[in-house]
Structure formats: C-alpha cells, structure tokens
Amino acid sequence: MESVRKVDKRIDDSGALLIKFARFVNGTLELFEDRPDSCEYVAFSHVWGDWKWRGIPGIPYEVKASQEKADFIENDLPALVGDGAFWMDTLTVDQHNEKEVLDIVQSIPTIFRMAKRTIAVRECDGLYDCCMEAVRDFQTIKEFKSKLYTHCGAHDEFVCNESYLQRLWTLQECLISHTIQFIVAPNSTYMPDLPALTFQDSLTMTSRSTQENQDRKESRLPFLQTPNRPGRCRGRSTCSSILIPRLGQPQRYSRVRQGLCARRHCSQSEQAAAHGKRRPSYWPIPPE
Amino acid sequence: MESEDLHTGRFLQNNFASQRSATMSRDYIFATMPQFPWYKYPMGAADMSFGDIYADLYQQAADNGHAFTCRFTRSMLNPGMVDRVEGWLPSKQQPEPSCLGDFLKLIGHRVPQISNGASQHVHLTAIVEAVEFSDCLGTDPELEVVFAMIEASMEAFWADWHVSHHGGELSKFGHLPSSLWTLDSQDGMKCGWHYNGSQWEMLEAENEVFMNEGSSSEHEETDDSVANVTLFEQTMKILDRMWCLKDQARFLKTRDSKWHFVMDERRRGWCTPLLRTMLLIETMVNSHIPLSAVAWINRNFLPICVTHRGRSVTLGLLAKHARHPKATRALPYRFWSVAQHLPGEVGFGATLTKYLGKDLFLVDPTVRVPVGILPEFIPDDGTNERYETLQALCTGIGAKNIRSKL
C-alpha cells in the first residue's frame, strides 16, 4: 500500500529525496539537484499576484511573475541569497511541466522544514506608507491600535487586505517553517511630503464638492501612487471613475482588477461589445 | 508528528472562518495534510476530483487512527446507496470549497473509528418528525413567521451566526440590500422557481440548473441598476442586515431588534423564493455548511422543519431523493436523529461535560442510512436520558425503550 501511494519523486541512489535548488553564479541563476537534508538553503514563501510569462535579467528562462515580483527577483533576490542555495517555486520548478508542478506539492513540507530559514516575501499592500506614518513612535499596543483606527477612516474607500495573508499556501509554509524572516517587496516607498490622513479628514471630505474630494483622493492617498493603484475605469469612454475596491467587500477586487467600475454601464458585456475585445485578465499597469 | 491531525490544537477552531483561498479546490487538502507524516499524496491526483481526494483523505485518516465524520455521505447523494456500511462513507460528490473555512466545515469531529450504523459511538438521540416548508408555511409564507424562525435560529445558534458574519461569509456582499430589487425571471429559473403569472412555483425537474451564486454581480448599493443582483446575493444582504440589527440590540440589551425597518423597506417585494432562500441559508449557517455551496445544496437538498413530540425543534436539510412521492408529500416524515457521542470531555471542574450530540444526521429508519443533516442543537450538558446506540436499536435491543418515548 505504501509503494502504491508514493508517486514518482526524484530520488538518488540511496533512495533519498532530491530537490531542485538554485544559486546565483556570476549574476546568472543556475539550477542543481541535492538532498534537502544535506544542502544548506533558504526557502522563499510568497504570493504570485498578477503574473505573466516574462524574462528577467539574470534568469536564463522565462518565468511566471508579476511586475513587482520580477523587480524583486532582479534587484533584491541576489543580495538576499548571495551565492548560497535557495528554493523558490517560480524559479526552481519548471512551470511549463505540469507533472513537476503537481509532484512538488508533496515535497513542500520537507522543503520548508529542512530550510535554514524561510524568507516570507510580503507584498506592498495591506498597510501603506500613510499607515506607517500614522502609527509612528507608538509606545504600546493600545496606542498602536488607537492611532491605526483613527487613521483607518482615510481608507474607507478601499480594502486594506494584505495579499500574503489571503492565500492558503503561505499559511502552511509559515506553520511548517522553524525560522521566518519577513521582508517587504519593493515599491513601498515612504513619501514624507504627504500628510497622514486622519478620520477627521475623512469627515470633512463630505462637505467638499465631489470634484474636490476626487482631487484630494488622487493627490493624498499614497496607495494610489503605487504600481498597484487601480487607475480609472475603462468601461465606457465617458466614465472616468477611479477604481477603488470597497472596504469590507473584497470581492470587488475582481472587477477593479479588470479595469471596470461598479456601474452597470461599465459591465463586462458592454465593454466587450463597445471595444470588440475580451476583457483583460490582468491588473492594468498605469502609464508612467 | 504521527499523532497529529487537523483536530490537534486549535487549528480547526482558529481557521473555521478563514477566507484564505487557493487556486484549486484540491489545494485545500494538499496544502494542509502533507504536513502530517501519515498522509500520503494519492496516486493519479492530477486526474482526481475534489470528492475523490476527499474520500481518499477520509480513508487514510481512518486507517491511521485519525478518523473523522464526513458531512455528506453516499446515501445522501446516491438514492440507490442503502448499504448500512458503505452508505455512511463520504460521497464522491462533495461541494468544492472556495476558502480554507469552507474546507474545514466539511471536516466533522474526530471519532474513534469510521462512523456507521454499527459504531459504538453512533447513538440515536431522538425520533423526530419533519415537514417540508411548503406544508409548514404554505405556498405563500407569512413574513412574520419567517422572521420569527430566523430570529429563533440566530438566538439558538448565536456563535455560528457570529462567526459567519465576522468571518466575512455572511457579510460577503455587505448588509445594505436594495429596496428596489425584484427577482428576475431568469434568475428565478436558475434557482428552481417558475413564475406562472400570479405566483412563484418551485420547479420539480431534477435536471434543472440551480442557483447562480451571483458573486460576479458587483454593484454599488446606491446604484439604480439592481437587476443584476441575484437572489442569493440579495438574500445574504438581508440576512446580514438582520444579524447586524440583532447584534446591536443584544449589545444594547434591548429586545427590539428593529427588524420592522427591514420588513417595511420592502413591503411589496417579499416573494416566496426570497423567503425560502432565506430559510435555506439560515439552515446552512446553523449546520456549519459553507455558504459558497448554496447552489450545490439547493440542487441536492431541501430545507425542512423538524419537530419532536409536536414541538418545533430546528431546521434541517433533507436529501431530495428521500422525499415522499408527490401524492403523499403532505404527510410528515419520520426520521431518527442520530449523533456521534464522542470520547473526551470539554470544560473543567464543575462545568466538565461530555461531547454529546455532534454531527447529527437524519437517518431513514427503514434503510438505516443518513438522508439528511441537522444542526447540533443538543446542548453539551449531560442529561439523565440513556441514549441507545444505533446498533442496539437495529438489533431490536433497546427498541422498547425508544418506543415508550413516542
């Protein structure tokens, strides 16, 4: 029964499990196989985000990655791992090979248990620069909560869900790991010239004109300045709504990610009919 | 460790309302189970459905001393499955989870061994009668009666409603239902309803496509374009609003939940499908069934009103294939309420109690296999009643004691 249940894994002559790892050699990624119990390596836990096949400098093959993840792999990953071995599913598992993708699933617990440490790569969402500024210099957890709650009124138009905390695999990878290092992906830059919004600010916003409020939102919310900003509705040509997911309604992400606001005249079918093309499946990157 | 499983520690309780998601439904098993040494990745997993993988998990757990109760058995989904052992095994047709919380709701309590009619831990708790809502409430149910049933459920299963709301399940679409909403005829058809010109009738055909979940319809509550809001979405909004008002009343320690606001907002729009769907979702919340499976539940089950000695006890779900023939459908059903009485205790000191009445099934006494689900309405407090094991009842021993209670 035991032999029936085991699927075809990579094993060496002694019957031990072999895993494909990676390392940088002269700035270029190289893959090699080794036993996880004898190789000292770092395991990466991350979410994929809006990926597509793309080439990354230093990686000799195409990988599935979002723009943010591609920037991380190109700019930050080499500094984190140096010339040491590491495991990262987007790089060490051949994503073109469906069998390999499925087979690695059963080895995930071993990979993360045996790693020297796990690096959890958080995305630059959830808490933004304005949130960090709002809670600066807190002394106690009570003070932190109070400052954050006061500030959260400024986010009542969009969701503060952190994508790393929304996926199941990342939970398991953290539970299995014995040592976890958290890092934040790039593009979460601090913007000191933007004042932190308070709940009082959000109350006074209602007394202004609609256009004035719109302008203030665009200029003051750092979230909208990040590459993750949703941009404007691409439904009808006359619609210029800013796409902001509603707090407490995370399902709106799917609509916003398609570049559509919530209004009926910008429904998917109308957009397809008006523009004669399929709705996009990836997050629209705003032009520089 | 070999001795650990999902029930170890507080993993199950802490993640019962988790909205963490995975790309494929089988990932909910493959992401959570391989950490346990006793679980082996099944051969040919790429070609297996979620139900197949779930059934494999069930068997592996039982083989390694980690047996748990399945929620949906073969006898509930397969009309011809009346075997008293195989009928209790998990059906290959399982609702596919959409998040971690949904998956954990499909995992029942840990039991000493696989549950069936011969298990020592499977006990008969009561002989109950059940009636379909159309017989209990009529074809045009009264609004006040439905609201009273929902209020009773919210009070009796407060913790379940609290978790469902705060976990983002019941509150998925918000709590602001549109007062302009009406049931679209096409949406009604998809949900098993047909408008004959004067009233809504439930479709009887088994092959109809039921219940569009409506998660793709995202509209602002203040938007006039409410036609795309599905029956399911509108029902969830109404129930969540009712819950919020009820919760607020409890916090303020008042008895008036101010539900008349909810009633008055839509005095003309309370159609029968809306009310019946509210009762269906209410039953699912009470019974720890993931709300993302509402389409699947609506296709395979029917909400019923369960009574004991003439008094309404709770709502339950009855497999559609177990319904009476149409000619005799007005007669009440007679079922056994069967539960798992688990080893172990909860609490401490004077509050130490046993795990009683968990994972309740409605069992057909003629074939002795589960045909429905009941919420866990039996309190954990011990009672002086002796619960006969189902096995003893099946062999006739103890049957006299049961009959005397009718």
Side-chain angles (χ1 to χ4, degrees), chain B residues 128-283:
Chain B
V128 297
E129 290 189 345
V131 290
E132 297 187 17
F133 279 137
S134 54
D135 302 313
C136 173
L137 303 173
T139 54
D140 190 16
E142 290 182 24
L143 189 61
E144 287 73 14
V145 172
V146 172
F147 271 56
M149 295 174 80
I150 294 174
E151 182 166 22
S153 283
M154 288 185 177
E155 288 181 356
F157 300 98
W158 184 268
D160 299 309
W161 284 82
H162 178 89
V163 166
S164 185
H165 167 78
H166 287 282
E169 188 184 44
L170 185 66
S171 54
K172 179 178 177 181
F173 300 107
H175 61 275
L176 298 175
S178 171
S179 58
L180 302 176
W181 180 87
T182 54
L183 179 59
D184 181 68
S185 58
Q186 282 193 352
D187 186 31
M189 285 284 285
K190 289 180 184 176
C191 298
W193 294 92
H194 167 67
Y195 191 69
N196 62 9
S198 59
Q199 62 180 6
W200 289 94
E201 296 175 334
M202 183 177 269
L203 291 170
E204 293 286 337
E206 295 299 322
N207 296 327
E208 291 288 341
V209 176
F210 286 130
M211 197 62 83
N212 176 9
E213 281 192 28
S215 58
S216 60
S217 302
E218 296 165 8
H219 287 265
E220 296 176 4
E221 287 76 13
T222 54
D223 198 321
D224 290 336
S225 57
V226 295
N228 288 345
V229 175
T230 63
L231 174 62
F232 173 59
E233 186 175 331
Q234 179 72 359
T235 308
M236 292 271 280
K237 288 181 182 180
I238 292 172
L239 284 173
D240 196 48
R241 176 156 166 79
M242 292 168 69
W243 167 259
C244 290
L245 290 171
K246 183 77 178 169
D247 194 29
Q248 186 182 47
R250 183 170 162 136
F251 177 76
L252 296 174
K253 296 182 182 176
T254 66
R255 296 182 64 83
D256 181 15
S257 304
K258 299 185 180 177
W259 281 3
H260 61 273
F261 288 129
V262 182
M263 290 188 198
D264 292 342
E265 279 168 7
R266 300 186 39 80
R267 261 301 164 186
R268 297 178 186 175
W270 293 104
C271 57
T272 301
L274 179 62
L275 295 173
R276 292 282 293 270
T277 307
M278 287 169 65
L279 294 172
L280 174 69
I281 294 176
E282 171 198 348
T283 311

Side-chain angles (χ1 to χ4, degrees), chain A residues 4-5 113 167 172 251, chain B residues 20-21 31 35 41 43 218:
Chain A
V4 169
R5 290 207 178 273
R113 275 203 189 100
R167 304 297 293 174
Q172 285 304 108
Q251 75 280 3
Chain B
R20 286 182 181 260
S21 62
Q35 63 180 305
Y41 194 75
M43 286 279 286
E218 296 165 8

